[in-house]
Amino acid sequence: MTEKNVVTAVRDALHDEMANDERIVLLGEDVGARGGVFRISDGWMAEFGEERVIDTPLAESGIVGIAIGMALHGLLPVAEIQFADFIHPAFDQVVSEAARLRYRSNGDFGVPMVIRTPYGGGIHGALYHSQSIEAFYAHIPGIKVVVPATPGDAAGLLRSAIQDPDPVLFLEHKKTYRSIKGEVADGAYLTPIGVAEVKQEGDDLTCISYGYSLHLCLDAAHRLAEDEGASVEVVDVRTLAPLDVDTIVSSVRKTGKAMVVYEDNRTYGAGAEIASTIAEQALFDLDAPILRIGGPDIPAMPFAAPLEHYFMEPEPDHIYARMRELARA
Amino acid sequence: MSDTDTAEGTEVADLEARLSIYRMMQEGRLFEERARDLFLQGLVKGTSHLGIGQEAIAAGFAAALEPDDLVFCTYRGHVHTLLRGAPMAALMAELLGRATGICGGKGGSMHLTDVSHGAMGSYAIVGAHMPIAAGAAWAAKARGTDQVAVCFFGDGTTNIGTFHEALNLAAVWALPVVFVCENNLYMEYTAIGDVTAVEHPAADRASAYGLEPILIDGNDADVVHTTAVRTVARARSGDGPSLVEAVTYRHGGHSRADPGKYRPDEEVAEWLRRDPIPSYRERLLAAGADEGTLDAIDRDALAAVDRATEEAREAPFPDPDTLETELWADGGSAWRN
């Protein structure tokens, strides 16, 4: 075991996969000579060569399209979108092509590619470097959407994503990059895509989350245990699509209460899908209405520090207060 | 067309190769005429985009490719797919939405794929396949397979972003890809000249990517073939991509629902006169081809289309159980456990 932060875990896993499989290529804006804006691929162009660590122009549709073509023809591309906010020009390539090619060809070919991109707020990135984009893509059958929250999951899930025969959108929350540290097992272990994990066991209520929000939930749960002795089960979905319904529902059946917490705009967000799934499958096990906490419905995260903070924490101890309310219900 | 290349002065292929090009054009023509008939009989649902009149481009390139080269085309891609060697009956069955279709009935007219024959898909989103073709070319180059990607697209594609992104990337990386603009003068229902800042929508943009402007008569199969041989060889030898603008005309409208009335009668008449197939037949006869040989090609092509039609019409429709298959590599579609 080695303690790492998330960005180091991502870097190490990606590096080891590239060293082990020559079919893997990395492409994106500034990933080569510069080594990426988060320095994940620093020095790799020299190590792996310009054929495998590829600087692209600022052309997201082209980046994803090129990666699809590579994947159709024997390579395992890992395309980096520098910030998730920049992925929208590539929406058509992801949705119309990457997610659809296997189905429309009736299995004649597939697209074994990964799109890695940093998302989420909390680093003063303002309106175009802070967005959560997961809901757009989790709606689309044909592409998997992975949202690790911890260094260990980031490493294991990234390896699984690279080895997956189908396209994977791998979302790395920027705020976790350096602020979240954890023990990472040595060796090339795989964390399965589509499997949630109970990050903390409990009996009184189930709190479901992912990404940076998961850590806010864990923190609130710890404080609530100390303050009131409440026992909160915290479920990290880890993958939004395919969604691990079994883990979520069995936890809710056990505790009888459910809350879903996510940073993305609340309306039509991933939490809506999770909440409705719980309602469909476990309504009569519930002792209180499902609580859904999402980001405000404004078009993007604003710049000024108080505004950004308010987006992520709308009121003091927001998650804690509402978790306590639900626990007492 | 005074500013396009013509067959005069260009070295054409030998007679055997030209007979093969003739056969391919004729098969493509008859296949699409049959598809049109089946539409009119209500046996093909939805819509369809025919390339009747444009066959010289598909055939001229097809004759210049190796069996494992990679072809990407558009929703007007029946002939390109057929000429890669995809089985005609399975293509016809796909148009009819049958279980034996090349994509099991999931694709239909606009979305044909036959990877085993290097038919890497016909794409219905204009321009989306251009970077994909470039990516496949990168993979071929990186893997040292010696393959070339050929990407066909229409004149309307030249005004969308992916056209420019793909050409720039292909040029920067000297990829083994040939981009072929089938300029049939109309972007769906609108004259391409009305919405494009330059006269030749592809060729006039070539210099922006450091490429030679190549503007040819897309209805002259010899010119197309000569251009294909040259540009494919350039790609295969590692000298990078080419952008070819082949000027042509579709005899019909944009799609089944379109009678094409926005086109002046005299313009249509002029292009019908320049139908690539009869003129090529005349040229082959003049070059010493035996009329009986050409007649036999015509008969065989028609017989092949008849057989394919019969086979397709007898094929069953897909079982609804296949609706939720082949989403993932395991063949299934589990979207949640």
Side-chain angles (χ1 to χ4, degrees):
Chain A
M1 300 286 269
T2 310
E3 189 181 77
K4 297 178 184 179
N5 60 22
V6 170
V7 75
T8 306
V10 168
R11 186 191 68 202
D12 291 352
L14 186 54
H15 179 274
D16 292 351
E17 288 297 301
M18 288 194 70
N20 286 336
D21 191 336
E22 290 193 347
R23 296 174 299 167
I24 301 169
V25 297
L26 180 64
L27 69 160
E29 297 157 5
D30 302 315
V31 301
R34 166 70 184 172
V37 294
F38 292 99
R39 313 316 302 266
I40 281 176
S41 50
D42 193 17
W44 293 7
M45 191 180 243
E47 182 179 354
F48 295 114
E50 294 183 9
E51 291 284 302
R52 296 186 60 203
V53 182
I54 305 160
D55 272 328
T56 69
L58 307 182
E60 285 78 12
S61 183
I63 292 167
V64 175
I66 288 275
I68 292 169
M70 290 171 162
L72 290 179
H73 198 49
L75 298 182
L76 298 177
V78 178
E80 179 179 297
I81 299 296
Q82 196 167 72
F83 287 88
D85 312 60
F86 306 166
I87 199 173
H88 304 310
F91 188 79
D92 180 58
Q93 289 290 341
V94 177
V95 172
S96 301
E97 309 303 341
R100 206 171 298 180
L101 279 166
R102 185 185 295 283
Y103 183 80
R104 54 159 275 188
S105 69
N106 205 30
D108 206 8
F109 53 20
V111 186
M113 68 182 288
V114 179
I115 302 170
R116 281 185 48 244
T117 187
Y119 79 109
I123 63 158
H124 313 302
L127 296 95
Y128 296 91
H129 296 74
S130 303
Q131 289 181 76
S132 296
I133 60 155
E134 61 270 28
F136 299 124
Y137 297 96
H139 179 64
I140 304 299
I143 183 157
K144 301 177 181 182
V145 180
V146 176
V147 282
T150 66
D153 286 345
L157 282 164
L158 183 57
R159 288 192 199 93
S160 292
I162 292 169
Q163 294 178 25
D164 198 287
D166 290 307
V168 179
L169 178 61
F170 194 85
L171 297 173
E172 301 160 9
H173 197 292
K174 291 188 291 292
K175 178 84 172 172
T176 68
Y177 265 170
R178 301 192 200 285
S179 70
I180 302 298
K181 296 184 176 66
E183 292 293 323
V184 178
D186 300 322
Y189 66 92
L190 298 172
T191 303
I193 291 173
V195 179
E197 185 176 64
V198 175
K199 284 287 196 280
Q200 176 185 295
E201 291 192 8
D203 299 315
D204 296 341
L205 74 87
T206 298
C207 177
I208 302 137
S209 190
Y210 60 91
Y212 180 68
S213 296
L214 176 90
H215 300 284
L216 300 177
C217 293
L218 284 168
D219 181 55
H222 290 149
R223 288 170 54 207
L224 200 58
E226 284 173 14
D227 295 350
E228 307 206 349
S231 167
V232 176
E233 182 144 303
V234 179
V235 176
D236 180 0
V237 295
R238 301 197 296 192
T239 304
L240 287 175
L243 187 64
D244 180 358
V245 174
D246 292 349
T247 299
I248 294 167
V249 169
S250 62
S251 174
V252 172
R253 288 203 172 113
K254 180 180 76 172
T255 64
K257 290 175 184 170
M259 62 187 288
V260 189
V261 182
Y262 54 114
E263 178 180 316
D264 194 6
N265 310 116
R266 182 173 186 275
T267 301
Y268 293 111
E273 180 64 29
I274 294 168
S276 68
T277 300
I278 294 167
E280 281 176 332
Q281 299 197 20
L283 185 66
F284 297 122
D285 296 297
L286 291 177
D287 300 323
I290 301 164
L291 171 62
R292 181 157 63 104
I293 301 176
D297 289 320
I298 53 177
M301 197 172 287
F303 169 66
L307 296 178
E308 180 187 63
H309 183 74
Y310 186 80
F311 190 110
M312 299 180 78
E313 281 276 318
E315 55 195 68
D317 286 332
H318 181 61
I319 295 171
Y320 172 84
R322 301 196 65 189
M323 186 182 278
R324 183 177 60 189
E325 206 175 297
L326 183 62
R328 288 173 176 175
Chain B
M1 298 297 299
S2 58
D3 49 356
T4 58
D5 288 344
T6 69
E8 286 171 39
T10 56
E11 195 162 325
V12 296
D14 62 33
L15 189 57
E16 195 181 339
R18 296 168 87 193
L19 285 168
S20 173
I21 291 170
Y22 176 79
R23 177 186 56 75
M24 289 194 279
M25 286 199 290
Q26 196 60 289
E27 279 185 5
R29 172 69 56 92
L30 294 171
F31 179 88
E32 289 217 294
E33 286 181 345
R34 181 60 52 83
R36 185 185 58 197
D37 293 346
L38 294 171
F39 269 112
L40 294 174
Q41 293 169 37
L43 285 167
V44 179
K45 311 294 184 188
T47 191
S48 165
H49 305 78
L50 302 175
I52 291 175
Q54 306 184 183
E55 296 89 348
I57 301 170
F61 266 89
L65 296 178
E66 296 296 327
D68 65 344
D69 284 334
L70 308 166
V71 167
F72 297 78
C73 58
T74 74
Y75 53 86
R76 202 179 304 285
H78 300 158
V79 178
H80 301 90
T81 310
L82 179 68
L83 299 189
R84 286 307 291 156
M88 190 188 283
L91 285 180
M92 194 63 90
E94 188 64 28
L95 267 58
L96 269 62
R98 304 302 168 106
T100 58
I102 197 96
C103 302
K106 284 178 173 147
S109 164
M110 290 187 278
H111 321 101
L112 304 169
T113 306
D114 184 3
V115 174
S116 66
H117 288 97
M120 302 296 282
S122 48
Y123 292 76
I125 299 295
V126 168
H129 63 322
M130 293 191 65
I132 297 175
W138 174 292
K141 184 180 180 184
R143 293 167 55 206
T145 65
D146 215 29
Q147 292 162 299
V148 170
V150 178
C151 180
F152 297 96
F153 56 96
D155 42 279
T157 304
T158 63
N159 292 322
I160 202 165
T162 45
F163 168 86
H164 302 278
E165 293 188 21
L167 277 163
N168 181 58
L169 289 162
V172 166
W173 295 331
L175 297 179
V177 56
V178 182
F179 293 107
V180 184
C181 176
E182 303 174 298
N183 179 7
N184 63 20
L185 312 185
Y186 287 85
M187 176 212 77
E188 297 190 355
Y189 306 83
T190 301
I192 191 66
D194 291 351
V195 293
T196 306
V198 291
E199 183 182 0
H200 304 296
D204 287 350
R205 268 83 174 249
S207 63
Y209 306 104
L211 299 174
E212 172 196 358
I214 302 175
L215 182 66
I216 63 170
D217 180 355
N219 276 22
D220 185 325
D222 284 331
V223 169
V224 173
H225 182 62
T226 307
T227 305
V229 168
R230 178 168 71 88
T231 52
V232 168
R234 170 183 153 87
R236 210 181 304 283
S237 64
D239 292 334
S242 296
L243 174 60
V244 176
E245 179 174 334
V247 182
T248 185
Y249 205 74
R250 52 171 151 79
H251 289 178
H254 166 64
S255 67
R256 185 174 70 113
D258 173 24
K261 290 299 184 194
Y262 43 84
R263 305 185 302 184
D265 290 345
E266 56 274 25
E267 178 186 289
V268 176
E270 164 65 11
W271 279 96
L272 286 173
R273 195 182 61 72
R274 294 175 54 191
D275 186 327
I277 298 179
S279 59
Y280 201 60
R281 183 185 173 93
E282 291 304 315
R283 194 184 289 170
L284 294 188
L285 286 170
D290 178 59
E291 185 146 30
T293 305
L294 292 166
D295 289 345
I297 289 173
D298 294 350
R299 274 197 312 275
D300 291 349
L302 185 60
V305 171
D306 284 343
R307 280 195 306 276
T309 306
E310 201 54 37
E311 202 175 310
R313 289 184 64 156
E314 287 173 3
F317 286 101
D319 190 311
D321 288 347
T322 64
L323 174 69
E324 296 188 42
T325 61
E326 303 294 352
L327 180 68
W328 304 121
D330 65 6
S333 63
W335 194 227
R336 38 174 62 211
N337 59 27

